[in-house]
Amino acid sequence: MSDLSDVSPLSDVSRITQLPPLPERGAAPQGPPRPPPLAVPGDERGDGYSGGHGVLALPLGLLRTARPRQWVKNVLVAAAPAAAGEPLSRGAVAQLGLIFVLFTAASSAVYLVNDARDAEADRAHPVKCRRPVAAGQVPVPVAYAAGALLAVATTATAVVLCNDMTAALLSAYIAMQLAYCISLKHVLVIDLTVVTTGFLMRAMIGGVALGIPLSRWFLITAGFGALFMVGAKRYSEAVQMEGDGRTRALLSEYTTGYLRFVWQLAAGVAVLAYCLWAMESSGPPGAGLLPWRQLSMVPFILSILRYAVFADRGTAGAPEDVILGDRALAVIGVVWIAMYGLAVAQL
């Protein structure tokens, strides 16, 4: 059995003095030093965000800023020739393809300038902060320069390759949309009018480029149909972000009741104008096995009613998202296109 006297007091003292020093009172214990953060390519803001890799970061950011998902709206350039119900030559089809590309370039130029101008405000928004310009992937001066070059190139190409009215209409679209980005989007009612007119210009420009007369019923249907979707989108934004200071300031000046009135009024006028257009005589008596043009009123009205479901719920965001995201609405649209195609072919 060991004897306590065998333990030397000096050895106890030496063991105590070898213990790690205690932290000072009120100081938190420190762990091992952390390595410096890794550099992220394309991270201009220093927060670790990057929308691309290396040299591809900037081109990919510019492409995202141009909103490829919204290019589908430019298919409306074929609306006027389709409404005329006349067969198109190869040259006319090629001209429509050119108009589609020019309108896509024009709208992309506007998106670039808009995001550059709103970069600071977008950084405070829960969703828009992910946009490439707001996130720092695309520098603001680069976005401005790319938008300006694209707008000038689009206008110059239209002057050279299109007729005078088409070039004037495209230039007017760019000027109007840039004015919207700068100031008009902050003016009550005018903001709705400008966005609606942009859709109407898309629908008109195909007929203008090909020299096709535009029916008054077509213009009324297209105009109020666009106002219906724009009003539904604004109403949905107001419902979803009501009381949220991060939304656009102008929405706080609209009431949800007023925006509901706008899209309901526009839906009613669009349906009435389409029905009056469909009831007009479209050919010689007895042409076609069935009155397809008149029957096309059914899917058209159903599409308005289906879209209104999302508007009433406050979930009618971007029109392309609503149309492409709802299978029933897509099927109704295909049926309407088929009926109208049979009416044009007089089958």
Side-chain angles (χ1 to χ4, degrees), residues 71-93:
W71 292 352
V72 67
K73 294 187 295 188
N74 298 319
V75 175
L76 283 173
V77 300
E86 299 177 2
L88 300 178
S89 63
R90 290 184 178 179
V93 173

PDB file of all heavy atoms in Angstrom, residues 71-93:
ATOM      1  N   TRP A  71     -39.371  35.775 -73.055  1.00  0.00           N
ATOM      2  CA  TRP A  71     -39.342  35.940 -74.504  1.00  0.00           C
ATOM      3  C   TRP A  71     -40.549  35.315 -75.176  1.00  0.00           C
ATOM      4  O   TRP A  71     -40.902  35.682 -76.301  1.00  0.00           O
ATOM      5  CB  TRP A  71     -38.059  35.321 -75.064  1.00  0.00           C
ATOM      6  CG  TRP A  71     -36.814  36.058 -74.654  1.00  0.00           C
ATOM      7  CD1 TRP A  71     -36.742  37.260 -73.993  1.00  0.00           C
ATOM      8  CD2 TRP A  71     -35.460  35.635 -74.858  1.00  0.00           C
ATOM      9  NE1 TRP A  71     -35.430  37.614 -73.770  1.00  0.00           N
ATOM     10  CE2 TRP A  71     -34.621  36.641 -74.287  1.00  0.00           C
ATOM     11  CE3 TRP A  71     -34.872  34.524 -75.456  1.00  0.00           C
ATOM     12  CZ2 TRP A  71     -33.230  36.549 -74.317  1.00  0.00           C
ATOM     13  CZ3 TRP A  71     -33.482  34.432 -75.485  1.00  0.00           C
ATOM     14  CH2 TRP A  71     -32.673  35.433 -74.923  1.00  0.00           C
ATOM     15  N   VAL A  72     -41.191  34.380 -74.482  1.00  0.00           N
ATOM     16  CA  VAL A  72     -42.362  33.732 -75.073  1.00  0.00           C
ATOM     17  C   VAL A  72     -43.467  34.744 -75.364  1.00  0.00           C
ATOM     18  O   VAL A  72     -44.282  34.539 -76.280  1.00  0.00           O
ATOM     19  CB  VAL A  72     -42.872  32.609 -74.131  1.00  0.00           C
ATOM     20  CG1 VAL A  72     -43.429  33.195 -72.840  1.00  0.00           C
ATOM     21  CG2 VAL A  72     -43.928  31.768 -74.815  1.00  0.00           C
ATOM     22  N   LYS A  73     -43.497  35.861 -74.631  1.00  0.00           N
ATOM     23  CA  LYS A  73     -44.513  36.883 -74.876  1.00  0.00           C
ATOM     24  C   LYS A  73     -44.402  37.480 -76.274  1.00  0.00           C
ATOM     25  O   LYS A  73     -45.394  37.969 -76.825  1.00  0.00           O
ATOM     26  CB  LYS A  73     -44.408  37.994 -73.831  1.00  0.00           C
ATOM     27  CG  LYS A  73     -44.744  37.572 -72.420  1.00  0.00           C
ATOM     28  CD  LYS A  73     -44.779  38.742 -71.462  1.00  0.00           C
ATOM     29  CE  LYS A  73     -43.435  39.378 -71.296  1.00  0.00           C
ATOM     30  NZ  LYS A  73     -43.425  40.402 -70.214  1.00  0.00           N
ATOM     31  N   ASN A  74     -43.205  37.428 -76.850  1.00  0.00           N
ATOM     32  CA  ASN A  74     -43.007  38.039 -78.157  1.00  0.00           C
ATOM     33  C   ASN A  74     -43.597  37.218 -79.298  1.00  0.00           C
ATOM     34  O   ASN A  74     -43.581  37.663 -80.451  1.00  0.00           O
ATOM     35  CB  ASN A  74     -41.515  38.285 -78.392  1.00  0.00           C
ATOM     36  CG  ASN A  74     -40.942  39.254 -77.382  1.00  0.00           C
ATOM     37  OD1 ASN A  74     -41.574  40.245 -77.033  1.00  0.00           O
ATOM     38  ND2 ASN A  74     -39.747  38.969 -76.893  1.00  0.00           N
ATOM     39  N   VAL A  75     -44.127  36.033 -78.987  1.00  0.00           N
ATOM     40  CA  VAL A  75     -44.868  35.269 -79.988  1.00  0.00           C
ATOM     41  C   VAL A  75     -46.102  36.050 -80.446  1.00  0.00           C
ATOM     42  O   VAL A  75     -46.648  35.803 -81.521  1.00  0.00           O
ATOM     43  CB  VAL A  75     -45.254  33.886 -79.419  1.00  0.00           C
ATOM     44  CG1 VAL A  75     -46.135  33.109 -80.380  1.00  0.00           C
ATOM     45  CG2 VAL A  75     -43.990  33.085 -79.111  1.00  0.00           C
ATOM     46  N   LEU A  76     -46.512  37.031 -79.645  1.00  0.00           N
ATOM     47  CA  LEU A  76     -47.662  37.865 -80.009  1.00  0.00           C
ATOM     48  C   LEU A  76     -47.447  38.625 -81.314  1.00  0.00           C
ATOM     49  O   LEU A  76     -48.410  39.139 -81.880  1.00  0.00           O
ATOM     50  CB  LEU A  76     -47.967  38.862 -78.889  1.00  0.00           C
ATOM     51  CG  LEU A  76     -48.691  38.321 -77.660  1.00  0.00           C
ATOM     52  CD1 LEU A  76     -48.755  39.386 -76.571  1.00  0.00           C
ATOM     53  CD2 LEU A  76     -50.099  37.862 -78.030  1.00  0.00           C
ATOM     54  N   VAL A  77     -46.218  38.714 -81.804  1.00  0.00           N
ATOM     55  CA  VAL A  77     -45.996  39.416 -83.067  1.00  0.00           C
ATOM     56  C   VAL A  77     -46.720  38.719 -84.218  1.00  0.00           C
ATOM     57  O   VAL A  77     -46.954  39.329 -85.265  1.00  0.00           O
ATOM     58  CB  VAL A  77     -44.490  39.534 -83.382  1.00  0.00           C
ATOM     59  CG1 VAL A  77     -43.762  40.300 -82.288  1.00  0.00           C
ATOM     60  CG2 VAL A  77     -43.849  38.168 -83.590  1.00  0.00           C
ATOM     61  N   ALA A  78     -47.082  37.450 -84.039  1.00  0.00           N
ATOM     62  CA  ALA A  78     -47.819  36.716 -85.073  1.00  0.00           C
ATOM     63  C   ALA A  78     -49.323  36.838 -84.901  1.00  0.00           C
ATOM     64  O   ALA A  78     -50.080  36.249 -85.678  1.00  0.00           O
ATOM     65  CB  ALA A  78     -47.420  35.242 -85.052  1.00  0.00           C
ATOM     66  N   ALA A  79     -49.787  37.612 -83.898  1.00  0.00           N
ATOM     67  CA  ALA A  79     -51.221  37.679 -83.608  1.00  0.00           C
ATOM     68  C   ALA A  79     -52.010  38.319 -84.745  1.00  0.00           C
ATOM     69  O   ALA A  79     -53.062  37.808 -85.155  1.00  0.00           O
ATOM     70  CB  ALA A  79     -51.450  38.439 -82.304  1.00  0.00           C
ATOM     71  N   ALA A  80     -51.552  39.441 -85.259  1.00  0.00           N
ATOM     72  CA  ALA A  80     -52.304  40.140 -86.312  1.00  0.00           C
ATOM     73  C   ALA A  80     -52.398  39.324 -87.601  1.00  0.00           C
ATOM     74  O   ALA A  80     -53.488  39.189 -88.167  1.00  0.00           O
ATOM     75  CB  ALA A  80     -51.683  41.509 -86.575  1.00  0.00           C
ATOM     76  N   PRO A  81     -51.275  38.740 -88.103  1.00  0.00           N
ATOM     77  CA  PRO A  81     -51.424  37.877 -89.278  1.00  0.00           C
ATOM     78  C   PRO A  81     -52.332  36.685 -89.033  1.00  0.00           C
ATOM     79  O   PRO A  81     -53.093  36.277 -89.922  1.00  0.00           O
ATOM     80  CB  PRO A  81     -49.981  37.428 -89.558  1.00  0.00           C
ATOM     81  CG  PRO A  81     -49.129  38.497 -88.966  1.00  0.00           C
ATOM     82  CD  PRO A  81     -49.858  38.952 -87.745  1.00  0.00           C
ATOM     83  N   ALA A  82     -52.279  36.112 -87.824  1.00  0.00           N
ATOM     84  CA  ALA A  82     -53.162  34.984 -87.523  1.00  0.00           C
ATOM     85  C   ALA A  82     -54.615  35.422 -87.500  1.00  0.00           C
ATOM     86  O   ALA A  82     -55.506  34.709 -87.976  1.00  0.00           O
ATOM     87  CB  ALA A  82     -52.772  34.363 -86.183  1.00  0.00           C
ATOM     88  N   ALA A  83     -54.882  36.617 -86.925  1.00  0.00           N
ATOM     89  CA  ALA A  83     -56.260  37.110 -86.865  1.00  0.00           C
ATOM     90  C   ALA A  83     -56.809  37.425 -88.248  1.00  0.00           C
ATOM     91  O   ALA A  83     -58.015  37.318 -88.490  1.00  0.00           O
ATOM     92  CB  ALA A  83     -56.320  38.361 -85.983  1.00  0.00           C
ATOM     93  N   ALA A  84     -55.920  37.803 -89.183  1.00  0.00           N
ATOM     94  CA  ALA A  84     -56.374  38.098 -90.541  1.00  0.00           C
ATOM     95  C   ALA A  84     -56.822  36.843 -91.267  1.00  0.00           C
ATOM     96  O   ALA A  84     -57.632  36.913 -92.198  1.00  0.00           O
ATOM     97  CB  ALA A  84     -55.265  38.787 -91.317  1.00  0.00           C
ATOM     98  N   GLY A  85     -56.299  35.690 -90.846  1.00  0.00           N
ATOM     99  CA  GLY A  85     -56.732  34.423 -91.437  1.00  0.00           C
ATOM    100  C   GLY A  85     -56.263  34.218 -92.856  1.00  0.00           C
ATOM    101  O   GLY A  85     -56.908  33.521 -93.636  1.00  0.00           O
ATOM    102  N   GLU A  86     -55.147  34.822 -93.228  1.00  0.00           N
ATOM    103  CA  GLU A  86     -54.623  34.684 -94.583  1.00  0.00           C
ATOM    104  C   GLU A  86     -53.365  33.823 -94.568  1.00  0.00           C
ATOM    105  O   GLU A  86     -52.532  33.961 -93.664  1.00  0.00           O
ATOM    106  CB  GLU A  86     -54.304  36.065 -95.169  1.00  0.00           C
ATOM    107  CG  GLU A  86     -55.509  36.982 -95.276  1.00  0.00           C
ATOM    108  CD  GLU A  86     -55.128  38.353 -95.789  1.00  0.00           C
ATOM    109  OE1 GLU A  86     -53.922  38.553 -96.087  1.00  0.00           O
ATOM    110  OE2 GLU A  86     -56.014  39.217 -95.902  1.00  0.00           O
ATOM    111  N   PRO A  87     -53.197  32.941 -95.588  1.00  0.00           N
ATOM    112  CA  PRO A  87     -51.974  32.132 -95.644  1.00  0.00           C
ATOM    113  C   PRO A  87     -50.749  33.022 -95.871  1.00  0.00           C
ATOM    114  O   PRO A  87     -50.819  34.042 -96.571  1.00  0.00           O
ATOM    115  CB  PRO A  87     -52.222  31.191 -96.834  1.00  0.00           C
ATOM    116  CG  PRO A  87     -53.275  31.870 -97.660  1.00  0.00           C
ATOM    117  CD  PRO A  87     -54.122  32.635 -96.694  1.00  0.00           C
ATOM    118  N   LEU A  88     -49.639  32.649 -95.289  1.00  0.00           N
ATOM    119  CA  LEU A  88     -48.431  33.450 -95.365  1.00  0.00           C
ATOM    120  C   LEU A  88     -47.405  32.781 -96.277  1.00  0.00           C
ATOM    121  O   LEU A  88     -47.258  31.556 -96.282  1.00  0.00           O
ATOM    122  CB  LEU A  88     -47.824  33.638 -93.972  1.00  0.00           C
ATOM    123  CG  LEU A  88     -48.700  34.343 -92.938  1.00  0.00           C
ATOM    124  CD1 LEU A  88     -47.963  34.404 -91.594  1.00  0.00           C
ATOM    125  CD2 LEU A  88     -49.075  35.743 -93.394  1.00  0.00           C
ATOM    126  N   SER A  89     -46.695  33.595 -97.043  1.00  0.00           N
ATOM    127  CA  SER A  89     -45.620  33.104 -97.890  1.00  0.00           C
ATOM    128  C   SER A  89     -44.362  32.866 -97.040  1.00  0.00           C
ATOM    129  O   SER A  89     -44.297  33.258 -95.873  1.00  0.00           O
ATOM    130  CB  SER A  89     -45.315  34.115 -98.993  1.00  0.00           C
ATOM    131  OG  SER A  89     -44.853  35.334 -98.418  1.00  0.00           O
ATOM    132  N   ARG A  90     -43.366  32.240 -97.651  1.00  0.00           N
ATOM    133  CA  ARG A  90     -42.115  32.004 -96.921  1.00  0.00           C
ATOM    134  C   ARG A  90     -41.455  33.324 -96.542  1.00  0.00           C
ATOM    135  O   ARG A  90     -40.880  33.458 -95.457  1.00  0.00           O
ATOM    136  CB  ARG A  90     -41.158  31.172 -97.782  1.00  0.00           C
ATOM    137  CG  ARG A  90     -41.605  29.725 -97.969  1.00  0.00           C
ATOM    138  CD  ARG A  90     -40.559  28.941 -98.751  1.00  0.00           C
ATOM    139  NE  ARG A  90     -40.949  27.550 -98.904  1.00  0.00           N
ATOM    140  CZ  ARG A  90     -40.227  26.640 -99.560  1.00  0.00           C
ATOM    141  NH1 ARG A  90     -39.057  27.004-100.116  1.00  0.00           N
ATOM    142  NH2 ARG A  90     -40.650  25.398 -99.663  1.00  0.00           N
ATOM    143  N   GLY A  91     -41.538  34.290 -97.432  1.00  0.00           N
ATOM    144  CA  GLY A  91     -40.961  35.596 -97.121  1.00  0.00           C
ATOM    145  C   GLY A  91     -41.647  36.254 -95.937  1.00  0.00           C
ATOM    146  O   GLY A  91     -40.983  36.878 -95.095  1.00  0.00           O
ATOM    147  N   ALA A  92     -42.981  36.100 -95.861  1.00  0.00           N
ATOM    148  CA  ALA A  92     -43.720  36.686 -94.743  1.00  0.00           C
ATOM    149  C   ALA A  92     -43.364  35.993 -93.439  1.00  0.00           C
ATOM    150  O   ALA A  92     -43.226  36.645 -92.392  1.00  0.00           O
ATOM    151  CB  ALA A  92     -45.222  36.587 -95.014  1.00  0.00           C
ATOM    152  N   VAL A  93     -43.203  34.676 -93.492  1.00  0.00           N
ATOM    153  CA  VAL A  93     -42.815  33.934 -92.284  1.00  0.00           C
ATOM    154  C   VAL A  93     -41.418  34.353 -91.824  1.00  0.00           C
ATOM    155  O   VAL A  93     -41.170  34.541 -90.618  1.00  0.00           O
ATOM    156  CB  VAL A  93     -42.865  32.418 -92.543  1.00  0.00           C
ATOM    157  CG1 VAL A  93     -42.293  31.646 -91.366  1.00  0.00           C
ATOM    158  CG2 VAL A  93     -44.303  31.977 -92.820  1.00  0.00           C
TER     159      VAL A  93
END
